Amino acid sequence: MSGKCISFAAGPQRSKADGTQVKFPISSLGDQKQWSARLEEQDPYFWTISVNTPANAPIGQYDLFLHASKACRLLGKFILLFNPWCRDDEVFLPNEAQRQEYILNQDGVIYSGTENEILAQPWDFRQFDVGIVDICFKLLDIGERYQRDQDHTQRKNPIYICRTVAAMMNCNLARILSESGTRECYDGTPPSKWLGSNAILQQWAALQCRPVRYGQCWVFAAVMCSVLRCLGIPTRVVTGFTWAHNTNSNPNVNEYYEEDGTLLTPDKSARVWTFHVWNECWMARTDLLPEYSGWQALDATCQKKSKGPSFCGPAPVQAIKEGDVEVDYDVCYFFAAMNAKCKVWIHMADDIFKPASICTKYMGNNISTKSVGSERCEDITHNYKYPEGSLQEKKVLDKVYRKTQTLQAISSRREITSIPTTLEEKVKLFIDFQSKSSLILGQDIPLSIEVFNYSDREKATDLVLGVQSLHYNGVPIMQLWKEKLNFIIKSNEVRTLQVFVPYSQYGKELGKNRLLRLTATLRDEDSYIYFAQEEISICDPPLTIEFPDNVLLYQPATVKISLLNPLTEPLEKCVIVVGGQGLIYRQRKYRLGTVQPKSTQDLNISFTPTESGPRRLTAHLTCLQIQNLKSYKTINVAAA
């Protein structure tokens, strides 16, 4: 071994000074803590050598050389990633079940809908597909070039990697995806049609790194999850419901309505989203106090900020919960989005806006992610917030308020405005919805409204009920239905009103997210205005998947997919696309034609599994009446 050495080099600008070029001898011992080479086996023709890398080495592609006497020979190339199994790595995750889920699992679930009716959709991360790791490093190269930062030594820092990847999702000019907003996507793929990350990343590479059309928050988060898992950073996709977006860290947001309940969109970017999707990444925060290590919130969706890039994070989840809004990165924005309070203004006939009395509308509800080792939805709201109304919550809000006052004393710019923590004055007239949180497409909407008069006298009232379709990001589509009622309510009386909104009134203009906002605006004889609202999901008809009881490796089997048409009209030009790694080779497309009203049509598919263990089958249906109906089911394939 005398005179023989191993060396490596990484990056376009290799240097011994910055650690991107290192030379070390081959020994019989090696060193687990630093670059070293150990001779494992030797015979006259072959050597077996193991190379150790330090836990803080930059990730990337390396060239490996053998030096013997005065000769130098390239042995090959290897790719170095973060290692959550290594205790000295900043992304070390001690729980094996979590490592299996947040690094190795390629089958994801993304949640949407409303806080009262959480809907699940499948997503194929496919972070280990052929060519994906090369695309991920190409993404880093371009991101660094755009930021004019080509210091490859920074690639040992998971914070740096997360911020570079987040900027490349949607925020840089050179980005992976273009955001669709609320417009139609005739010149690209609508966000709801994507089934996985592979197609997006491969298309981006094929387009020579031009943006893929189109994405929205859940697509950004899903693709970022694939990239970061591929690079070795434990990552999961998280959904929060009732989210205050673009508040510029101000925990107060306003909504504006006409008297008939129509949601207005004045020239204000701040808006309450029905749901929002972001990521969490696991890492040690060596730049902060130890208690901030663990899950970090990372949001690739662009938003309005007073300074810094338009993405957010990685922000310690523990800092968000404790109201430590001064902590990097962007804790103040996450805190505001999850703790804002919404005030409703009604546009009156005299062209002024009058505040309405409402129950406080809280943000950041039912924060959800896929649970470890199953497809169950796990509520992780407690990681971000203390229970509403609790003493701990009040202490956190008071702390943020005190910090705000200090900030205002030293700066003219307000990053966070005051958060009221005292109880609001109790209104004397109160309205409440008692409606279903979700309905199957084709059903009429039953509305049940309870009106309480807590005053000491009877009151004459005017009540306007409305139904409006809207996008998930709070942008209204159109008013679909309204009804006016007049009645007198006695002192301390509870009046229950029930009405039905027929499917024919709302079915044609539901929008892509199938979300409806129900509103009730009540004005009493003293001209006081009371307001209530609720959002409901209109669910697609069931697309069920049935496997046989036992599925064996390499043994033919049949799966049945059933579509129920709940409508009074036929579903026309129905097409089902089926896929499942290890179950079906590539995607298969089946044309069902027409499914008659109130009937069920079955599709039997033969398959032969080629991989054992848990395997997921996904089915994606489109027709003239329904777009992007997705279903999935996981079966355990036993070894033959």
Side-chain angles (χ1 to χ4, degrees):
M1 293 185 291
S2 176
K4 296 180 177 60
C5 296
I6 292 286
S7 71
F8 83 90
Q13 298 176 337
R14 302 164 178 182
S15 167
K16 293 180 180 179
D18 62 19
T20 54
Q21 185 175 352
V22 176
K23 187 176 182 181
F24 44 89
I26 301 173
S27 70
S28 59
L29 297 176
D31 189 334
Q32 297 288 337
K33 300 293 184 180
Q34 59 185 2
W35 287 102
S36 65
R38 178 181 176 181
L39 183 63
E40 300 287 350
E41 296 181 18
Q42 179 181 8
D43 64 34
Y45 301 101
F46 295 97
W47 282 13
T48 301
I49 300 171
S50 64
V51 176
N52 293 318
T53 64
N56 63 347
I59 65 170
Q61 186 179 78
Y62 287 78
D63 295 328
L64 191 65
F65 299 91
L66 173 66
H67 300 264
S69 299
K70 295 183 179 180
C72 177
R73 179 170 180 172
L74 176 65
L75 294 180
K77 300 176 182 291
F78 68 92
I79 291 175
L80 189 63
L81 306 173
F82 291 107
N83 185 0
W85 281 264
C86 174
R87 291 186 176 274
D88 295 327
D89 199 303
E90 289 183 17
V91 302
F92 172 65
L93 186 60
N95 186 289
E96 175 61 22
Q98 290 183 333
R99 290 193 292 253
Q100 293 291 323
E101 180 69 44
Y102 301 133
I103 289 291
L104 300 181
N105 191 8
Q106 301 188 68
D107 295 327
V109 178
I110 298 176
Y111 298 104
S112 60
T114 69
E115 62 182 281
N116 296 319
E117 185 66 25
I118 299 176
L119 307 178
Q121 62 173 313
W123 189 273
D124 294 330
F125 291 123
R126 294 291 169 258
Q127 65 266 36
F128 303 126
D129 279 7
V130 175
I132 293 300
V133 68
D134 296 325
I135 293 175
C136 291
F137 281 109
K138 181 69 173 177
L139 181 155
L140 289 179
D141 290 339
I142 293 177
E144 290 170 340
R145 223 165 22 237
Y146 180 80
Q147 298 174 54
R148 298 178 181 175
D149 180 4
Q150 298 189 45
D151 180 4
H152 276 58
T153 61
Q154 288 295 315
R155 292 190 178 184
K156 65 186 176 182
N157 183 351
I159 299 173
Y160 171 85
I161 295 297
C162 286
R163 290 179 66 80
T164 302
V165 172
M168 281 297 296
M169 281 301 114
N170 177 45
C171 300
N172 286 349
L173 291 177
R175 59 190 181 273
I176 299 290
L177 285 152
S178 293
E179 188 167 3
S180 64
T182 59
R183 67 178 179 272
E184 295 295 333
C185 304
Y186 300 119
D187 57 345
T189 301
S192 57
K193 277 196 172 183
W194 294 113
L195 300 176
S197 304
N198 183 301
I200 295 171
L201 292 170
Q202 295 286 3
Q203 185 175 332
W204 177 73
L207 290 171
Q208 299 185 345
C209 308
R210 292 194 298 272
V212 175
R213 299 172 178 171
Y214 286 99
Q216 286 176 326
C217 65
W218 67 90
V219 182
F220 305 144
V223 174
M224 187 154 64
C225 184
S226 297
V227 172
L228 294 177
R229 285 186 183 183
C230 178
L231 298 177
I233 299 177
T235 307
R236 62 188 183 185
V237 177
V238 177
T239 301
F241 296 89
T242 319
W243 175 273
H245 191 70
N246 267 353
T247 64
N248 196 19
S249 75
N250 183 341
N252 295 292
V253 64
N254 298 302
E255 286 188 336
Y256 302 86
Y257 291 84
E258 295 285 7
E259 286 191 83
D260 64 0
T262 302
L263 178 64
L264 301 175
T265 54
D267 188 21
K268 295 179 182 293
S269 58
R271 188 174 286 117
V272 178
W273 290 19
T274 304
F275 67 88
H276 181 56
V277 185
W278 68 95
N279 296 99
E280 286 182 0
C281 309
W282 181 275
M283 67 186 71
R285 289 300 298 265
T286 56
D287 59 324
L288 300 173
L289 296 174
E291 56 263 33
Y292 296 135
S293 294
W295 289 115
Q296 314 290 313
L298 184 66
D299 189 357
T301 301
C302 292
Q303 63 179 285
K304 179 181 177 182
K305 293 169 64 177
S306 59
K307 58 183 179 180
S310 55
F311 63 88
C312 287
V317 172
Q318 185 63 25
I320 299 170
K321 181 175 184 176
E322 298 297 337
D324 298 330
V325 293
E326 74 284 358
V327 172
D328 280 342
Y329 290 91
D330 304 310
V331 170
C332 60
Y333 294 95
F334 282 104
F335 184 88
M338 298 178 193
N339 292 275
K341 291 185 178 181
C342 180
K343 190 169 186 178
V344 169
W345 300 80
I346 305 298
H347 187 209
M348 309 302 293
D350 54 3
D351 205 31
I352 65 169
F353 284 92
K354 185 174 181 179
S357 297
I358 62 169
C359 288
T360 302
K361 183 176 179 179
Y362 290 97
M363 306 293 127
N365 303 315
N366 293 359
I367 300 172
S368 304
T369 191
K370 178 185 177 297
S371 62
V372 174
S374 79
E375 292 175 342
R376 181 179 56 84
C377 179
E378 179 182 356
D379 190 325
I380 58 171
T381 309
H382 61 278
N383 291 346
Y384 284 90
K385 312 172 70 169
Y386 287 104
E388 288 176 4
S390 66
L391 180 61
Q392 297 101 317
E393 182 200 41
K394 184 179 184 305
K395 287 181 178 179
V396 168
L397 295 177
D398 285 344
K399 178 172 72 172
V400 173
Y401 178 77
R402 289 195 302 272
K403 288 180 180 178
T404 301
Q405 300 308 303
T406 302
L407 287 171
Q408 292 174 8
I410 61 176
S411 172
S412 60
R413 191 173 193 89
R414 297 181 65 173
E415 282 295 309
I416 293 185
T417 62
S418 60
I419 304 174
T421 59
T422 57
L423 291 175
E424 299 175 3
E425 182 182 357
K426 189 174 182 180
V427 297
K428 293 184 178 180
L429 195 65
F430 175 72
I431 53 178
D432 186 30
F433 273 113
Q434 301 289 327
S435 301
K436 291 184 177 180
S437 55
S438 70
L439 295 167
I440 297 295
L441 187 70
Q443 292 181 329
D444 296 341
I445 303 174
L447 292 183
S448 178
I449 303 95
E450 291 185 339
V451 182
F452 303 80
N453 182 6
Y454 291 122
S455 70
D456 56 3
R457 62 187 176 90
E458 70 176 21
K459 291 195 175 186
T461 61
D462 299 318
L463 176 66
V464 181
L465 304 176
V467 175
Q468 187 172 18
S469 55
L470 74 160
H471 298 284
Y472 84 101
N473 60 0
V475 176
I477 299 174
M478 67 179 300
Q479 186 85 353
L480 301 174
W481 173 91
K482 67 179 179 180
E483 184 168 323
K484 297 182 179 181
L485 302 170
N486 308 102
F487 54 91
I488 295 175
I489 184 168
K490 296 179 181 179
S491 172
N492 294 314
E493 180 186 359
V494 178
R495 175 73 64 91
T496 301
L497 307 169
Q498 292 185 329
V499 296
F500 283 86
V501 182
Y503 171 71
S504 60
Q505 292 282 310
Y506 74 86
K508 300 298 184 183
E509 298 291 343
L510 267 175
K512 303 182 186 72
N513 302 118
R514 299 191 182 282
L515 292 170
L516 296 178
R517 178 167 291 179
L518 317 178
T519 59
T521 309
L522 186 145
R523 185 202 291 242
D524 68 14
E525 60 192 31
D526 300 317
S527 294
Y528 287 105
I529 298 176
Y530 307 89
F531 184 85
Q533 71 170 60
E534 187 171 321
E535 289 171 8
I536 63 171
S537 294
I538 304 299
C539 301
D540 287 315
L543 184 66
T544 59
I545 300 173
E546 293 183 46
F547 282 104
D549 293 336
N550 298 302
V551 178
L552 299 178
L553 186 66
Y554 301 123
Q555 299 297 313
T558 301
V559 61
K560 183 172 75 172
I561 300 176
S562 301
L563 171 64
L564 169 65
N565 178 7
L567 303 181
T568 56
E569 60 182 298
L571 299 179
E572 300 173 302
K573 296 185 178 180
C574 295
V575 175
I576 292 182
V577 177
V578 179
Q581 187 173 21
L583 295 175
I584 294 176
Y585 179 67
R586 294 183 177 174
Q587 288 185 342
R588 298 184 193 173
K589 181 183 290 187
Y590 299 89
R591 300 185 185 278
L592 296 184
T594 299
V595 180
Q596 295 302 320
K598 305 295 183 179
S599 67
T600 300
Q601 187 158 329
D602 297 333
L603 173 66
N604 293 306
I605 300 174
S606 298
F607 69 98
T608 301
T610 57
E611 297 181 31
S612 61
R615 295 293 152 196
R616 176 194 285 178
L617 186 82
T618 61
H620 179 210
L621 177 135
T622 58
C623 66
L624 294 183
Q625 292 78 13
I626 301 172
Q627 295 292 318
N628 307 316
L629 168 55
K630 300 171 186 174
S631 184
Y632 63 97
K633 190 169 185 178
T634 300
I635 184 70
N636 189 59
V637 177

